[in-house]
Amino acid sequence: MFRPGLDPSAGDESLFDALIAARARYGDKEILEDQDRKPLTYTGLIRAAFVLGRKIAAMTRPAERVGILLPSSMGVVVTFFGLHAFGRVPVMLNFTSGQRNLKAAIEAAGVRKILCARRFVEQARLEELIAQLDAVAEIVWLDDVRESIGLQDKLFGLMAGLMPKRFRVETQPDDPGVVLFTSGSFGAPKGVLLSQKNLVANARQVNAHITLDPNWVMFNPLPTFHCFGLTGGVILPILNGLKTFQYPSPLHGKQIVALLAEVKASILFATDTFLNQWARVASPDDFRTLQFVVAGAERVRDETHHLFNTKFGGVKLLEGYGATEAAPVVAVNHPDRNRPGTVGQLLPGMEARLEAVEGITEGKRLFLRGPNVMAGYMSPEDPTKIDPLAGGWHDTGDIVDIDEEGYIAILGRVKRFAKIGGEMVSLSAVEGLVQSVWPEQRHAVISIADSRKGEKLVLVTERSDADVGRIAEWAREHGAPELAVPKKIVRVRELPVLGTGKTDYVAIQSLVDLAEAA
């Protein structure tokens, strides 16, 4: 399957040149703001990127990979583009992943310096983490760098802002754009090197799929170490003329919903976990300025759809689908063609291929190819090498169904199937079954070894009175197979999640292991 409709030249410019082109196209308008409420125009962003980037360039080598450990803010955006202005490669570090994963990421990417800010470290209480990271890479405090900026630096920025193509280091679309790491929902994160073309193309693809009004405001509360937050919340709006408001943490539900109308937010990107939390604390009027909300990174629950349909006057909740390896947006519903239960249609310029999986009767394994798809994973042995994708096809590991109109339904992951008594059972489908029984709580299902049937299902749930009998009763009433009923329940106060809001199945596996050993 191929989705036409994208200009073949989309993405054929470097990221910084795309920023310069956006200023020329949309005018020198306000484009970036955060909690400090000191917005930057395109020229202000370009100047700031040149001034900060020049300072960082003085302490790094051309094409060096430089770690960024910052929250969503104007500072992280300026730093990101500042590295690009001088041909350095940003490596976005997940400060919620723990020191072990962070150290592994730093080593895997070949990072020697990490850009950070004292204010952030103090507010997030990351002093111990920074002390650990300081043993494997040099911590560069941006606070000190900014204090060293003098008149000569400002004059440089002034001139560079007027003639940016004369001052920036020329790079090519196929040159590295960013190093990110997969979420690690099911195991150790993998290093993904996305080219500048991947990032620019994805921004163009989304705008070709849903025409974005340059007068709109994008509200981004997602971390930029996650591709959804970086591309969707930063690159997409800036390259398409939308102002983007950066908020440092998706955990501040009450503050976020209060800010939406104040900053006249038009589009909100988030995960189901966070949207559900915010919807519960929001008043019906808080979302009044929104044109639509885009949910990705995890399945949207029926309860979340119901909240938006009833509490907020029918604010459109569009479910989408992406992967870090695809920069990340692959498919998304359209405001005028919204089909709940699906993640919409492929973005223009993308190809999809389906392959049958032995034992799985519903759906097939999805492979993707397109201008936004990475060249390959970073080699674990050598950070400078890429393990290329065969024929350019990325194996998503997802089991999907695509209907005649191209709408994609995600049925589960290959890793998220259990073989019970010779039958393949979708763990995602079982989670959906349990969600139907208790829609107000969050649930996760994993499988463990079983001496009689090969594997058995374990439910980890926030529902304090959850019992197998109620699930079995619902399954009988609705024609669900007995194999889909979990045999064991582990009750927790709060389901573990990653910094992105996605369910943390690694932590959940550990909880189950502890429960089994007890």
Side-chain angles (χ1 to χ4, degrees):
M1 176 186 176
F2 172 67
R3 179 84 193 279
L6 183 72
D7 181 348
S9 65
D12 284 349
E13 59 186 335
S14 71
L15 196 53
F16 203 82
D17 283 358
L19 170 63
I20 297 168
R23 179 179 68 171
R25 180 175 183 180
Y26 300 106
D28 194 21
K29 58 183 289 189
E30 285 187 4
I31 201 69
L32 180 63
E33 191 174 5
D34 65 10
Q35 277 184 297
D36 290 339
R37 311 309 291 272
K38 297 177 182 177
L40 284 176
T41 63
Y42 273 117
T43 296
L45 171 57
I46 290 169
R47 285 175 179 167
F50 270 116
V51 172
L52 181 61
R54 187 186 187 209
K55 290 288 188 181
I56 298 169
M59 60 182 83
T60 56
R61 297 172 287 106
E64 181 173 336
R65 295 177 183 178
V66 183
I68 298 180
L69 199 148
L70 293 168
S72 295
S73 60
M74 284 173 50
V76 77
V77 179
V78 170
T79 303
F80 179 83
F81 281 107
L83 291 175
H84 274 284
F86 288 87
R88 274 61 177 173
V89 182
V91 178
M92 313 306 289
L93 298 174
N94 181 351
F95 46 82
T96 71
S97 65
Q99 62 168 285
R100 182 178 177 181
N101 280 342
L102 266 174
K103 285 181 176 178
I106 289 165
E107 181 180 357
V111 168
R112 298 181 181 181
K113 289 182 171 63
I114 299 172
L115 307 177
C116 198
R118 289 191 179 90
R119 177 184 170 190
F120 166 58
V121 170
E122 291 167 2
Q123 290 179 342
R125 299 178 180 177
L126 298 177
E127 291 88 352
E128 185 177 339
L129 174 64
I130 294 298
Q132 293 291 331
L133 298 185
D134 195 29
V136 295
E138 179 187 349
I139 306 296
V140 176
W141 296 106
L142 292 175
D143 322 58
D144 298 339
V145 174
R146 291 192 180 98
E147 284 184 11
S148 71
I149 293 172
L151 179 60
Q152 187 176 5
D153 300 306
K154 293 177 181 178
L155 289 173
F156 171 81
L158 187 65
M159 292 299 296
L162 294 172
M163 300 175 288
K165 284 200 173 183
R166 289 193 181 184
F167 286 82
R168 59 97 171 97
V169 170
E170 185 176 3
T171 56
Q172 301 303 314
D174 287 327
D175 287 342
V178 70
V179 174
L180 296 161
F181 290 85
T182 59
S183 63
S185 306
F186 305 99
K190 294 180 180 178
V192 174
L193 193 153
L194 295 171
S195 70
Q196 297 185 47
K197 179 178 180 178
N198 292 152
L199 298 168
V200 175
N202 204 222
R204 304 277 190 254
Q205 287 170 300
V206 174
N207 195 34
H209 183 61
I210 302 175
T211 303
L212 302 174
D213 187 334
N215 294 313
W216 289 348
V217 175
M218 180 84 73
F219 192 96
N220 179 41
L222 296 179
T224 52
F225 60 68
H226 188 266
C227 206
F228 194 12
L230 178 65
T231 300
V234 176
I235 296 171
L236 171 66
I238 287 177
L239 296 195
N240 289 298
L242 284 72
K243 181 178 180 179
T244 176
F245 189 97
Q246 302 294 309
Y247 191 81
S249 173
L251 300 176
H252 304 163
K254 291 182 179 179
Q255 294 93 321
I256 287 170
V257 298
L259 267 174
L260 290 174
E262 184 181 333
V263 303
K264 298 181 174 61
S266 310
I267 307 174
L268 174 64
F269 274 1
T271 63
D272 174 76
T273 298
F274 294 132
L275 285 174
N276 194 281
Q277 291 172 0
W278 304 338
R280 290 173 180 276
V281 299
S283 71
D285 204 38
D286 286 332
F287 289 0
R288 67 182 182 275
T289 64
L290 292 174
Q291 297 288 327
F292 53 83
V293 177
V294 180
E298 60 179 345
R299 186 181 69 86
V300 177
R301 287 171 283 170
D302 292 340
E303 184 205 8
T304 309
H305 277 296
H306 180 70
L307 275 170
F308 276 82
N309 288 334
T310 57
K311 187 175 181 180
F312 304 113
V315 171
K316 293 177 181 176
L317 175 55
L318 311 179
E319 188 168 359
Y321 166 66
T324 303
E325 297 88 345
V329 189
V330 170
V332 66
N333 273 287
H334 190 283
D336 300 327
R337 303 186 302 276
N338 187 19
R339 193 171 293 181
T342 78
V343 293
Q345 298 161 309
L346 281 180
L347 293 189
M350 292 205 73
E351 294 178 84
R353 188 182 89 222
L354 300 179
E355 289 189 4
V357 177
E358 185 179 357
I360 296 176
T361 56
E362 289 190 39
K364 296 180 179 180
R365 190 174 191 138
L366 176 65
F367 291 77
L368 295 169
R369 186 165 65 178
N372 53 317
V373 175
M374 65 173 187
Y377 291 107
M378 287 165 41
S379 170
E381 290 77 31
D382 184 348
T384 65
K385 290 184 178 179
I386 297 294
D387 294 331
L389 300 176
W393 288 101
H394 167 56
D395 177 4
T396 67
D398 289 315
I399 302 298
V400 311
D401 180 62
I402 304 179
D403 70 15
E404 292 180 356
E405 295 179 69
Y407 284 86
I408 303 170
I410 309 295
L411 305 181
R413 287 187 62 78
V414 174
K415 293 180 181 178
R416 298 275 293 140
F417 278 79
K419 196 167 188 178
I420 303 174
E423 297 289 330
M424 298 295 282
V425 177
S426 166
L427 303 186
S428 298
V430 177
E431 287 174 350
L433 184 157
V434 177
Q435 198 71 53
S436 298
V437 180
W438 299 298
E440 295 186 357
Q441 287 80 33
R442 300 184 72 241
H443 319 277
V445 175
I446 66 167
S447 63
I448 60 175
D450 180 70
S451 57
R452 291 192 308 113
K453 293 194 174 183
E455 292 182 84
K456 68 179 178 181
L457 304 181
V458 180
L459 168 66
V460 180
T461 177
E462 296 174 349
R463 180 83 181 191
S464 60
D465 62 349
D467 67 282
V468 171
R470 179 70 188 95
I471 302 171
E473 179 186 357
W474 192 97
R476 284 193 301 272
E477 290 173 355
H478 293 81
E482 184 182 348
L483 288 176
V485 178
K487 301 306 180 189
K488 181 180 177 65
I489 295 179
V490 176
R491 300 166 188 84
V492 295
R493 188 177 64 83
E494 192 172 358
L495 211 64
V497 296
L498 300 165
T500 58
K502 294 173 70 174
T503 302
D504 187 346
Y505 286 99
V506 176
I508 286 168
Q509 183 71 57
S510 298
L511 286 174
V512 173
D513 290 345
L514 287 172
E516 286 290 294

